[in-house]
Amino acid sequence: MAVDEEAADGEAAVGERTAPETAALAGLSIPDDAGDDEAAAIAAAVAAHLRDGELAAAAAASDADDGRDEDRWGLAARIDRLHRRRVRVPADAPTDPWTAAGRSDRF
C-alpha cells in the first residue's frame, strides 16, 4: 500500500496524506507474510489511532480556556471595590467590558 504514489497524469494519488500523517506512517510496515485479515486489522488499528488523535486535538481546541472565568472574577472584584457589595457574576454575563460595567447594578 503506497501512500506517496502519484497518479499517471501528475495529480496526487487518492491515498495521499498530510505531512503529520505521513510522518506518523513513515515507520509503519505490514509484514510480507501477513494475510488479508491481518493487514486489514493493522490498517483498521492505525486508522482508529489516527482518528483518536484527531478527535483529541479537536476536543483540546474546543475546550481551550478563553479566560472567561478570570473575567468574571475580575468583574466581581471590581464591583466589590466600586459598589462595596459582593456579587456572583453569572456565566452568561457579557464579555464586553463596557456592557458588563453597565449591567453591574443588576448582578
Side-chain angles (χ1 to χ4, degrees), residues 17-44:
R17 302 278 184 194
T18 60
E21 290 176 345
T22 303
L25 296 174
L28 179 68
S29 65
I30 297 177
D32 293 333
D33 61 344
D36 290 340
D37 292 340
E38 277 183 306
I42 292 170

Side-chain angles (χ1 to χ4, degrees), residues 46-93:
V46 170
H49 177 71
L50 291 175
R51 182 68 181 146
D52 288 345
E54 291 171 358
L55 291 175
S62 68
D63 291 342
D65 185 22
D66 59 356
R68 183 70 179 124
D69 289 334
E70 289 82 10
D71 291 344
R72 290 176 53 206
W73 283 102
L75 180 58
R78 182 174 298 141
I79 291 172
D80 185 28
R81 281 192 320 266
L82 297 176
H83 295 287
R84 306 278 192 249
R85 62 185 175 92
R86 293 184 181 224
V87 296
R88 177 180 283 179
V89 178
D92 60 345

